[in-house]
Amino acid sequence: MEKLFKSLPWWVKWIGIPIIALVVFGSLIASLVSIVVGLLFKVLVFVILVGALVFVVKRVTSGGSGSKRDW
């Protein structure tokens, strides 16, 4: 197999085989990328919401006394 692979032209190794792999595994790659991007988006939304909640709670609890304290 290695001898066969070495005897192929460069364009088959570097262009043909990757194109065939993308055609065969393209939907799998796309679904994995979609899952990863969706997960990262959900993590980002979670971090923003938790940060906003902490900000609001600190603002409400420190705002009741009328004085500005250092957080």
Short mmCIF file of all heavy atoms in Angstrom, two decimals:
data_model
loop_
_atom_site.label_atom_id
_atom_site.label_comp_id
_atom_site.label_asym_id
_atom_site.label_seq_id
_atom_site.Cartn_x
_atom_site.Cartn_y
_atom_site.Cartn_z
N MET A 1 0.83 -1.19 0.00
CA MET A 1 0.00 0.00 0.00
C MET A 1 0.87 1.25 0.00
O MET A 1 0.57 2.21 -0.69
CB MET A 1 -0.91 -0.04 1.24
CG MET A 1 -1.90 1.05 1.30
SD MET A 1 -3.17 0.79 0.06
CE MET A 1 -4.23 2.13 0.35
N GLU A 2 1.94 1.24 0.79
CA GLU A 2 2.83 2.40 0.86
C GLU A 2 3.51 2.64 -0.49
O GLU A 2 3.66 3.79 -0.92
CB GLU A 2 3.88 2.18 1.95
CG GLU A 2 4.78 3.38 2.17
CD GLU A 2 5.76 3.14 3.30
OE1 GLU A 2 5.48 2.31 4.18
OE2 GLU A 2 6.81 3.80 3.28
N LYS A 3 3.91 1.57 -1.15
CA LYS A 3 4.56 1.69 -2.46
C LYS A 3 3.58 2.26 -3.49
O LYS A 3 3.93 3.11 -4.31
CB LYS A 3 5.08 0.33 -2.91
CG LYS A 3 5.92 0.37 -4.16
CD LYS A 3 6.47 -1.01 -4.48
CE LYS A 3 7.33 -0.93 -5.72
NZ LYS A 3 7.84 -2.24 -6.11
N LEU A 4 2.34 1.82 -3.43
CA LEU A 4 1.30 2.33 -4.32
C LEU A 4 1.07 3.82 -4.07
O LEU A 4 0.95 4.61 -5.00
CB LEU A 4 0.00 1.55 -4.14
CG LEU A 4 -1.21 2.06 -4.91
CD1 LEU A 4 -1.00 1.85 -6.41
CD2 LEU A 4 -2.46 1.35 -4.45
N PHE A 5 1.01 4.20 -2.82
CA PHE A 5 0.76 5.60 -2.47
C PHE A 5 1.92 6.49 -2.91
O PHE A 5 1.71 7.61 -3.36
CB PHE A 5 0.53 5.73 -0.96
CG PHE A 5 0.03 7.08 -0.54
CD1 PHE A 5 -1.26 7.48 -0.85
CD2 PHE A 5 0.84 7.95 0.15
CE1 PHE A 5 -1.74 8.72 -0.47
CE2 PHE A 5 0.38 9.20 0.54
CZ PHE A 5 -0.91 9.58 0.23
N LYS A 6 3.15 6.01 -2.78
CA LYS A 6 4.32 6.79 -3.20
C LYS A 6 4.40 6.94 -4.71
O LYS A 6 4.95 7.92 -5.21
CB LYS A 6 5.60 6.15 -2.67
CG LYS A 6 5.83 6.38 -1.22
CD LYS A 6 7.17 5.83 -0.79
CE LYS A 6 7.41 6.14 0.67
NZ LYS A 6 8.71 5.67 1.12
N SER A 7 3.83 6.00 -5.46
CA SER A 7 3.91 6.07 -6.91
C SER A 7 2.85 6.99 -7.52
O SER A 7 2.90 7.27 -8.71
CB SER A 7 3.78 4.67 -7.51
OG SER A 7 2.48 4.16 -7.28
N LEU A 8 1.91 7.47 -6.73
CA LEU A 8 0.87 8.36 -7.24
C LEU A 8 1.43 9.76 -7.48
O LEU A 8 2.35 10.20 -6.78
CB LEU A 8 -0.29 8.46 -6.24
CG LEU A 8 -1.11 7.20 -6.03
CD1 LEU A 8 -2.10 7.41 -4.90
CD2 LEU A 8 -1.83 6.83 -7.30
N PRO A 9 0.89 10.49 -8.45
CA PRO A 9 1.33 11.88 -8.66
C PRO A 9 0.97 12.75 -7.46
O PRO A 9 0.05 12.44 -6.70
CB PRO A 9 0.54 12.32 -9.90
CG PRO A 9 -0.03 11.10 -10.50
CD PRO A 9 -0.06 10.05 -9.45
N TRP A 10 1.66 13.88 -7.33
CA TRP A 10 1.46 14.75 -6.17
C TRP A 10 0.04 15.29 -6.10
O TRP A 10 -0.52 15.45 -5.03
CB TRP A 10 2.46 15.92 -6.18
CG TRP A 10 2.21 16.90 -7.30
CD1 TRP A 10 2.72 16.88 -8.54
CD2 TRP A 10 1.33 18.03 -7.25
NE1 TRP A 10 2.24 17.91 -9.29
CE2 TRP A 10 1.38 18.64 -8.52
CE3 TRP A 10 0.51 18.58 -6.27
CZ2 TRP A 10 0.64 19.78 -8.82
CZ3 TRP A 10 -0.22 19.71 -6.57
CH2 TRP A 10 -0.15 20.30 -7.83
N TRP A 11 -0.55 15.58 -7.27
CA TRP A 11 -1.87 16.19 -7.25
C TRP A 11 -2.94 15.21 -6.81
O TRP A 11 -3.97 15.60 -6.26
CB TRP A 11 -2.22 16.79 -8.62
CG TRP A 11 -2.22 15.80 -9.75
CD1 TRP A 11 -1.17 15.46 -10.54
CD2 TRP A 11 -3.33 15.03 -10.19
NE1 TRP A 11 -1.56 14.52 -11.45
CE2 TRP A 11 -2.88 14.24 -11.27
CE3 TRP A 11 -4.67 14.94 -9.80
CZ2 TRP A 11 -3.71 13.36 -11.93
CZ3 TRP A 11 -5.50 14.06 -10.47
CH2 TRP A 11 -5.01 13.29 -11.52
N VAL A 12 -2.70 13.91 -7.00
CA VAL A 12 -3.65 12.92 -6.50
C VAL A 12 -3.58 12.86 -4.98
O VAL A 12 -4.61 12.80 -4.30
CB VAL A 12 -3.37 11.53 -7.13
CG1 VAL A 12 -4.22 10.45 -6.49
CG2 VAL A 12 -3.58 11.56 -8.63
N LYS A 13 -2.36 12.90 -4.44
CA LYS A 13 -2.19 12.82 -2.99
C LYS A 13 -2.70 14.06 -2.27
O LYS A 13 -3.30 13.96 -1.21
CB LYS A 13 -0.71 12.61 -2.64
CG LYS A 13 -0.18 11.26 -3.01
CD LYS A 13 1.22 11.06 -2.47
CE LYS A 13 2.21 11.33 -3.58
NZ LYS A 13 3.59 10.99 -3.22
N TRP A 14 -2.46 15.24 -2.85
CA TRP A 14 -2.75 16.49 -2.14
C TRP A 14 -4.05 17.15 -2.58
O TRP A 14 -4.53 18.06 -1.89
CB TRP A 14 -1.59 17.46 -2.31
CG TRP A 14 -0.36 16.93 -1.67
CD1 TRP A 14 0.72 16.39 -2.30
CD2 TRP A 14 -0.08 16.85 -0.28
NE1 TRP A 14 1.65 15.98 -1.39
CE2 TRP A 14 1.19 16.25 -0.14
CE3 TRP A 14 -0.78 17.21 0.87
CZ2 TRP A 14 1.77 16.03 1.10
CZ3 TRP A 14 -0.19 16.99 2.10
CH2 TRP A 14 1.06 16.40 2.21
N ILE A 15 -4.65 16.74 -3.69
CA ILE A 15 -5.90 17.34 -4.15
C ILE A 15 -7.00 16.27 -4.26
O ILE A 15 -8.10 16.45 -3.72
CB ILE A 15 -5.71 18.07 -5.50
CG1 ILE A 15 -4.72 19.22 -5.31
CG2 ILE A 15 -7.04 18.58 -6.03
CD1 ILE A 15 -4.32 19.90 -6.61
N GLY A 16 -6.73 15.20 -4.94
CA GLY A 16 -7.74 14.18 -5.20
C GLY A 16 -8.25 13.47 -3.96
O GLY A 16 -9.46 13.37 -3.74
N ILE A 17 -7.34 12.98 -3.14
CA ILE A 17 -7.73 12.23 -1.95
C ILE A 17 -8.47 13.12 -0.93
O ILE A 17 -9.51 12.70 -0.41
CB ILE A 17 -6.52 11.51 -1.33
CG1 ILE A 17 -6.04 10.43 -2.31
CG2 ILE A 17 -6.85 10.91 0.03
CD1 ILE A 17 -4.79 9.72 -1.91
N PRO A 18 -8.00 14.35 -0.65
CA PRO A 18 -8.78 15.21 0.26
C PRO A 18 -10.18 15.55 -0.27
O PRO A 18 -11.13 15.62 0.52
CB PRO A 18 -7.93 16.46 0.40
CG PRO A 18 -6.54 16.00 0.16
CD PRO A 18 -6.67 14.94 -0.88
N ILE A 19 -10.32 15.73 -1.58
CA ILE A 19 -11.65 16.02 -2.14
C ILE A 19 -12.57 14.82 -1.96
O ILE A 19 -13.73 14.97 -1.58
CB ILE A 19 -11.53 16.44 -3.62
CG1 ILE A 19 -10.94 17.84 -3.71
CG2 ILE A 19 -12.89 16.38 -4.31
CD1 ILE A 19 -10.69 18.32 -5.12
N ILE A 20 -12.05 13.62 -2.21
CA ILE A 20 -12.85 12.41 -2.01
C ILE A 20 -13.24 12.28 -0.53
O ILE A 20 -14.38 11.93 -0.21
CB ILE A 20 -12.10 11.17 -2.51
CG1 ILE A 20 -11.96 11.22 -4.03
CG2 ILE A 20 -12.81 9.89 -2.08
CD1 ILE A 20 -11.06 10.14 -4.61
N ALA A 21 -12.31 12.56 0.36
CA ALA A 21 -12.61 12.48 1.80
C ALA A 21 -13.69 13.49 2.19
O ALA A 21 -14.58 13.17 2.99
CB ALA A 21 -11.34 12.72 2.61
N LEU A 22 -13.62 14.70 1.63
CA LEU A 22 -14.65 15.70 1.93
C LEU A 22 -16.02 15.28 1.40
O LEU A 22 -17.04 15.51 2.05
CB LEU A 22 -14.27 17.05 1.34
CG LEU A 22 -13.22 17.84 2.13
CD1 LEU A 22 -12.84 19.11 1.37
CD2 LEU A 22 -13.72 18.17 3.52
N VAL A 23 -16.05 14.67 0.22
CA VAL A 23 -17.32 14.21 -0.34
C VAL A 23 -17.91 13.09 0.51
O VAL A 23 -19.10 13.08 0.82
CB VAL A 23 -17.13 13.76 -1.81
CG1 VAL A 23 -18.36 13.03 -2.31
CG2 VAL A 23 -16.82 14.95 -2.70
N VAL A 24 -17.06 12.15 0.91
CA VAL A 24 -17.55 11.00 1.67
C VAL A 24 -17.91 11.38 3.10
O VAL A 24 -18.97 11.02 3.61
CB VAL A 24 -16.49 9.87 1.66
CG1 VAL A 24 -16.89 8.74 2.60
CG2 VAL A 24 -16.29 9.34 0.25
N PHE A 25 -17.04 12.16 3.76
CA PHE A 25 -17.24 12.49 5.17
C PHE A 25 -17.73 13.92 5.38
O PHE A 25 -17.71 14.42 6.51
CB PHE A 25 -15.93 12.29 5.95
CG PHE A 25 -15.44 10.88 5.94
CD1 PHE A 25 -14.32 10.52 5.21
CD2 PHE A 25 -16.10 9.90 6.64
CE1 PHE A 25 -13.86 9.22 5.20
CE2 PHE A 25 -15.66 8.59 6.64
CZ PHE A 25 -14.53 8.25 5.91
N GLY A 26 -18.15 14.59 4.33
CA GLY A 26 -18.54 16.00 4.43
C GLY A 26 -19.68 16.25 5.40
O GLY A 26 -19.63 17.18 6.20
N SER A 27 -20.70 15.43 5.34
CA SER A 27 -21.84 15.64 6.24
C SER A 27 -21.45 15.38 7.69
O SER A 27 -21.92 16.07 8.60
CB SER A 27 -23.01 14.75 5.83
OG SER A 27 -22.64 13.39 5.92
N LEU A 28 -20.59 14.40 7.91
CA LEU A 28 -20.11 14.13 9.27
C LEU A 28 -19.30 15.31 9.79
O LEU A 28 -19.49 15.75 10.94
CB LEU A 28 -19.27 12.86 9.29
CG LEU A 28 -18.61 12.49 10.62
CD1 LEU A 28 -19.68 12.15 11.65
CD2 LEU A 28 -17.66 11.34 10.44
N ILE A 29 -18.41 15.83 8.97
CA ILE A 29 -17.59 16.98 9.37
C ILE A 29 -18.48 18.19 9.64
O ILE A 29 -18.31 18.90 10.63
CB ILE A 29 -16.53 17.28 8.29
CG1 ILE A 29 -15.52 16.13 8.21
CG2 ILE A 29 -15.82 18.59 8.57
CD1 ILE A 29 -14.60 16.20 7.02
N ALA A 30 -19.46 18.42 8.77
CA ALA A 30 -20.36 19.56 8.95
C ALA A 30 -21.18 19.43 10.23
O ALA A 30 -21.37 20.42 10.96
CB ALA A 30 -21.29 19.69 7.74
N SER A 31 -21.66 18.24 10.53
CA SER A 31 -22.44 18.07 11.75
C SER A 31 -21.57 18.23 13.00
O SER A 31 -22.02 18.82 13.99
CB SER A 31 -23.13 16.72 11.76
OG SER A 31 -22.19 15.67 11.80
N LEU A 32 -20.33 17.76 12.95
CA LEU A 32 -19.43 17.95 14.09
C LEU A 32 -19.11 19.43 14.31
O LEU A 32 -19.12 19.91 15.45
CB LEU A 32 -18.14 17.15 13.89
CG LEU A 32 -18.26 15.64 14.02
CD1 LEU A 32 -16.93 14.97 13.70
CD2 LEU A 32 -18.70 15.27 15.42
N VAL A 33 -18.85 20.14 13.22
CA VAL A 33 -18.59 21.58 13.33
C VAL A 33 -19.82 22.30 13.87
O VAL A 33 -19.72 23.20 14.72
CB VAL A 33 -18.13 22.17 11.97
CG1 VAL A 33 -18.13 23.68 11.98
CG2 VAL A 33 -16.76 21.64 11.60
N SER A 34 -20.99 21.91 13.40
CA SER A 34 -22.23 22.52 13.88
C SER A 34 -22.44 22.27 15.37
O SER A 34 -22.83 23.17 16.11
CB SER A 34 -23.40 21.94 13.09
OG SER A 34 -24.61 22.39 13.61
N ILE A 35 -22.16 21.07 15.83
CA ILE A 35 -22.30 20.75 17.25
C ILE A 35 -21.32 21.58 18.08
O ILE A 35 -21.68 22.14 19.12
CB ILE A 35 -22.08 19.24 17.49
CG1 ILE A 35 -23.26 18.46 16.92
CG2 ILE A 35 -21.88 18.93 18.96
CD1 ILE A 35 -23.05 16.96 16.90
N VAL A 36 -20.08 21.68 17.63
CA VAL A 36 -19.07 22.44 18.38
C VAL A 36 -19.43 23.92 18.43
O VAL A 36 -19.36 24.55 19.49
CB VAL A 36 -17.66 22.23 17.76
CG1 VAL A 36 -16.66 23.20 18.33
CG2 VAL A 36 -17.21 20.80 17.98
N VAL A 37 -19.85 24.49 17.30
CA VAL A 37 -20.21 25.91 17.27
C VAL A 37 -21.44 26.15 18.14
O VAL A 37 -21.50 27.13 18.90
CB VAL A 37 -20.45 26.38 15.82
CG1 VAL A 37 -21.10 27.74 15.78
CG2 VAL A 37 -19.14 26.40 15.06
N GLY A 38 -22.42 25.27 18.07
CA GLY A 38 -23.61 25.41 18.91
C GLY A 38 -23.27 25.32 20.39
O GLY A 38 -23.79 26.09 21.20
N LEU A 39 -22.38 24.41 20.76
CA LEU A 39 -21.97 24.28 22.15
C LEU A 39 -21.22 25.52 22.63
O LEU A 39 -21.47 26.02 23.73
CB LEU A 39 -21.10 23.03 22.32
CG LEU A 39 -20.68 22.68 23.74
CD1 LEU A 39 -21.92 22.37 24.59
CD2 LEU A 39 -19.75 21.50 23.72
N LEU A 40 -20.31 26.03 21.79
CA LEU A 40 -19.59 27.25 22.16
C LEU A 40 -20.54 28.43 22.32
O LEU A 40 -20.38 29.26 23.23
CB LEU A 40 -18.52 27.57 21.13
CG LEU A 40 -17.31 26.65 21.12
CD1 LEU A 40 -16.38 26.99 19.97
CD2 LEU A 40 -16.56 26.74 22.44
N PHE A 41 -21.55 28.53 21.45
CA PHE A 41 -22.53 29.60 21.55
C PHE A 41 -23.31 29.49 22.86
O PHE A 41 -23.53 30.49 23.55
CB PHE A 41 -23.49 29.57 20.36
CG PHE A 41 -24.55 30.62 20.41
CD1 PHE A 41 -24.24 31.94 20.15
CD2 PHE A 41 -25.86 30.29 20.73
CE1 PHE A 41 -25.21 32.92 20.21
CE2 PHE A 41 -26.84 31.26 20.79
CZ PHE A 41 -26.52 32.58 20.52
N LYS A 42 -23.73 28.28 23.23
CA LYS A 42 -24.47 28.09 24.47
C LYS A 42 -23.60 28.41 25.69
O LYS A 42 -24.08 29.01 26.66
CB LYS A 42 -24.99 26.66 24.56
CG LYS A 42 -26.14 26.41 23.60
CD LYS A 42 -26.63 24.99 23.67
CE LYS A 42 -27.73 24.78 22.64
NZ LYS A 42 -28.25 23.42 22.67
N VAL A 43 -22.34 28.04 25.65
CA VAL A 43 -21.43 28.38 26.75
C VAL A 43 -21.27 29.89 26.86
O VAL A 43 -21.30 30.45 27.97
CB VAL A 43 -20.06 27.69 26.55
CG1 VAL A 43 -19.02 28.24 27.50
CG2 VAL A 43 -20.20 26.18 26.74
N LEU A 44 -21.14 30.58 25.73
CA LEU A 44 -21.01 32.03 25.74
C LEU A 44 -22.26 32.68 26.30
O LEU A 44 -22.18 33.61 27.13
CB LEU A 44 -20.73 32.53 24.32
CG LEU A 44 -20.55 34.03 24.15
CD1 LEU A 44 -19.31 34.50 24.89
CD2 LEU A 44 -20.46 34.39 22.68
N VAL A 45 -23.44 32.23 25.89
CA VAL A 45 -24.69 32.78 26.43
C VAL A 45 -24.78 32.52 27.92
O VAL A 45 -25.18 33.41 28.69
CB VAL A 45 -25.90 32.18 25.67
CG1 VAL A 45 -27.21 32.50 26.38
CG2 VAL A 45 -25.93 32.70 24.24
N PHE A 46 -24.40 31.34 28.38
CA PHE A 46 -24.42 31.02 29.80
C PHE A 46 -23.51 31.95 30.59
O PHE A 46 -23.91 32.49 31.64
CB PHE A 46 -24.00 29.56 30.00
CG PHE A 46 -23.90 29.15 31.44
CD1 PHE A 46 -25.03 28.91 32.18
CD2 PHE A 46 -22.66 29.01 32.05
CE1 PHE A 46 -24.95 28.54 33.51
CE2 PHE A 46 -22.56 28.64 33.38
CZ PHE A 46 -23.71 28.40 34.11
N VAL A 47 -22.30 32.17 30.09
CA VAL A 47 -21.35 33.05 30.79
C VAL A 47 -21.90 34.48 30.86
O VAL A 47 -21.81 35.14 31.91
CB VAL A 47 -19.97 33.00 30.11
CG1 VAL A 47 -19.05 34.10 30.61
CG2 VAL A 47 -19.33 31.64 30.32
N ILE A 48 -22.47 34.96 29.76
CA ILE A 48 -23.03 36.31 29.75
C ILE A 48 -24.20 36.43 30.73
O ILE A 48 -24.29 37.41 31.48
CB ILE A 48 -23.46 36.70 28.32
CG1 ILE A 48 -22.23 36.90 27.45
CG2 ILE A 48 -24.33 37.95 28.32
CD1 ILE A 48 -22.53 37.07 25.98
N LEU A 49 -25.08 35.43 30.75
CA LEU A 49 -26.22 35.49 31.67
C LEU A 49 -25.80 35.41 33.13
O LEU A 49 -26.34 36.13 33.97
CB LEU A 49 -27.21 34.37 31.33
CG LEU A 49 -27.99 34.54 30.02
CD1 LEU A 49 -28.84 33.32 29.76
CD2 LEU A 49 -28.84 35.79 30.07
N VAL A 50 -24.83 34.57 33.44
CA VAL A 50 -24.34 34.47 34.82
C VAL A 50 -23.67 35.79 35.22
O VAL A 50 -23.88 36.30 36.32
CB VAL A 50 -23.39 33.27 34.99
CG1 VAL A 50 -22.65 33.33 36.32
CG2 VAL A 50 -24.16 31.98 34.87
N GLY A 51 -22.88 36.37 34.32
CA GLY A 51 -22.25 37.65 34.62
C GLY A 51 -23.27 38.75 34.83
O GLY A 51 -23.12 39.58 35.74
N ALA A 52 -24.31 38.77 34.01
CA ALA A 52 -25.36 39.77 34.18
C ALA A 52 -26.11 39.56 35.49
O ALA A 52 -26.44 40.54 36.18
CB ALA A 52 -26.33 39.71 33.00
N LEU A 53 -26.36 38.32 35.86
CA LEU A 53 -27.04 38.04 37.13
C LEU A 53 -26.20 38.50 38.31
O LEU A 53 -26.71 39.14 39.23
CB LEU A 53 -27.34 36.54 37.23
CG LEU A 53 -28.02 36.09 38.52
CD1 LEU A 53 -29.41 36.69 38.62
CD2 LEU A 53 -28.08 34.58 38.59
N VAL A 54 -24.90 38.20 38.28
CA VAL A 54 -24.01 38.63 39.36
C VAL A 54 -23.97 40.16 39.43
O VAL A 54 -24.04 40.75 40.51
CB VAL A 54 -22.60 38.05 39.17
CG1 VAL A 54 -21.60 38.69 40.11
CG2 VAL A 54 -22.63 36.54 39.36
N PHE A 55 -23.91 40.82 38.28
CA PHE A 55 -23.89 42.28 38.24
C PHE A 55 -25.17 42.86 38.84
O PHE A 55 -25.12 43.79 39.64
CB PHE A 55 -23.71 42.76 36.80
CG PHE A 55 -23.75 44.24 36.63
CD1 PHE A 55 -22.66 45.02 37.00
CD2 PHE A 55 -24.88 44.86 36.13
CE1 PHE A 55 -22.70 46.40 36.86
CE2 PHE A 55 -24.94 46.24 35.99
CZ PHE A 55 -23.83 47.01 36.35
N VAL A 56 -26.31 42.32 38.45
CA VAL A 56 -27.59 42.83 38.95
C VAL A 56 -27.71 42.59 40.45
O VAL A 56 -28.14 43.48 41.20
CB VAL A 56 -28.76 42.18 38.18
CG1 VAL A 56 -30.09 42.44 38.87
CG2 VAL A 56 -28.80 42.69 36.75
N VAL A 57 -27.33 41.41 40.92
CA VAL A 57 -27.43 41.12 42.35
C VAL A 57 -26.52 42.04 43.15
O VAL A 57 -26.92 42.59 44.17
CB VAL A 57 -27.11 39.63 42.62
CG1 VAL A 57 -26.91 39.37 44.11
CG2 VAL A 57 -28.22 38.75 42.07
N LYS A 58 -25.31 42.25 42.68
CA LYS A 58 -24.39 43.15 43.39
C LYS A 58 -24.90 44.57 43.35
O LYS A 58 -24.77 45.32 44.33
CB LYS A 58 -23.00 43.06 42.80
CG LYS A 58 -22.29 41.77 43.15
CD LYS A 58 -20.80 41.97 43.10
CE LYS A 58 -20.11 40.72 43.53
NZ LYS A 58 -19.65 40.79 44.89
N ARG A 59 -25.48 44.99 42.24
CA ARG A 59 -26.00 46.34 42.11
C ARG A 59 -27.19 46.55 43.06
O ARG A 59 -27.30 47.58 43.70
CB ARG A 59 -26.43 46.57 40.66
CG ARG A 59 -26.98 47.93 40.38
CD ARG A 59 -25.90 48.97 40.45
NE ARG A 59 -25.52 49.34 39.10
CZ ARG A 59 -24.78 50.36 38.83
NH1 ARG A 59 -24.31 51.12 39.79
NH2 ARG A 59 -24.46 50.63 37.61
N VAL A 60 -28.07 45.55 43.13
CA VAL A 60 -29.26 45.68 43.98
C VAL A 60 -28.87 45.63 45.45
O VAL A 60 -29.36 46.43 46.25
CB VAL A 60 -30.27 44.56 43.65
CG1 VAL A 60 -31.36 44.47 44.70
CG2 VAL A 60 -30.88 44.79 42.27
N THR A 61 -27.97 44.72 45.82
CA THR A 61 -27.62 44.60 47.24
C THR A 61 -26.78 45.79 47.70
O THR A 61 -26.90 46.22 48.83
CB THR A 61 -26.85 43.30 47.51
OG1 THR A 61 -25.70 43.24 46.68
CG2 THR A 61 -27.74 42.11 47.27
N SER A 62 -25.94 46.36 46.86
CA SER A 62 -25.13 47.51 47.28
C SER A 62 -25.90 48.81 47.11
O SER A 62 -25.61 49.79 47.77
CB SER A 62 -23.83 47.58 46.48
OG SER A 62 -24.10 47.89 45.13
N GLY A 63 -26.89 48.84 46.25
CA GLY A 63 -27.66 50.05 46.00
C GLY A 63 -28.66 50.35 47.11
O GLY A 63 -29.12 51.48 47.25
N GLY A 64 -29.02 49.38 47.91
CA GLY A 64 -30.01 49.58 48.97
C GLY A 64 -29.50 50.46 50.08
O GLY A 64 -30.27 51.18 50.73
N SER A 65 -28.21 50.48 50.36
CA SER A 65 -27.70 51.26 51.48
C SER A 65 -27.46 52.70 51.10
O SER A 65 -27.30 53.57 51.96
CB SER A 65 -26.40 50.64 52.00
OG SER A 65 -25.40 50.73 51.00
N GLY A 66 -27.40 53.00 49.81
CA GLY A 66 -27.22 54.38 49.37
C GLY A 66 -25.77 54.78 49.26
O GLY A 66 -25.48 55.88 48.82
N SER A 67 -24.84 53.96 49.71
CA SER A 67 -23.42 54.30 49.60
C SER A 67 -22.76 53.38 48.57
O SER A 67 -23.16 52.23 48.43
CB SER A 67 -22.73 54.16 50.95
OG SER A 67 -22.75 52.81 51.34
N LYS A 68 -21.74 53.90 47.91
CA LYS A 68 -21.02 53.07 46.94
C LYS A 68 -19.86 52.37 47.64
O LYS A 68 -18.96 53.04 48.16
CB LYS A 68 -20.49 53.91 45.78
CG LYS A 68 -21.56 54.35 44.83
CD LYS A 68 -20.93 54.89 43.58
CE LYS A 68 -21.96 55.03 42.50
NZ LYS A 68 -21.40 55.45 41.25
N ARG A 69 -19.93 51.08 47.71
CA ARG A 69 -18.83 50.31 48.28
C ARG A 69 -18.02 49.69 47.18
O ARG A 69 -18.51 49.45 46.09
CB ARG A 69 -19.39 49.19 49.17
CG ARG A 69 -20.08 49.71 50.42
CD ARG A 69 -20.54 48.57 51.26
NE ARG A 69 -21.71 47.95 50.60
CZ ARG A 69 -22.28 46.84 51.01
NH1 ARG A 69 -21.80 46.19 52.02
NH2 ARG A 69 -23.33 46.37 50.39
N ASP A 70 -16.76 49.39 47.47
CA ASP A 70 -15.93 48.68 46.51
C ASP A 70 -16.36 47.22 46.48
O ASP A 70 -16.64 46.62 47.49
CB ASP A 70 -14.45 48.75 46.89
CG ASP A 70 -13.87 50.13 46.69
OD1 ASP A 70 -14.42 50.87 45.85
OD2 ASP A 70 -12.88 50.43 47.36
N TRP A 71 -16.39 46.66 45.28
CA TRP A 71 -16.79 45.26 45.14
C TRP A 71 -15.60 44.43 45.42
O TRP A 71 -15.28 43.44 45.26
CB TRP A 71 -17.39 45.01 43.77
CG TRP A 71 -18.64 45.76 43.54
CD1 TRP A 71 -19.26 46.63 44.37
CD2 TRP A 71 -19.46 45.71 42.35
NE1 TRP A 71 -20.39 47.13 43.81
CE2 TRP A 71 -20.53 46.59 42.57
CE3 TRP A 71 -19.37 45.03 41.17
CZ2 TRP A 71 -21.50 46.79 41.62
CZ3 TRP A 71 -20.34 45.23 40.23
CH2 TRP A 71 -21.42 46.11 40.45
#
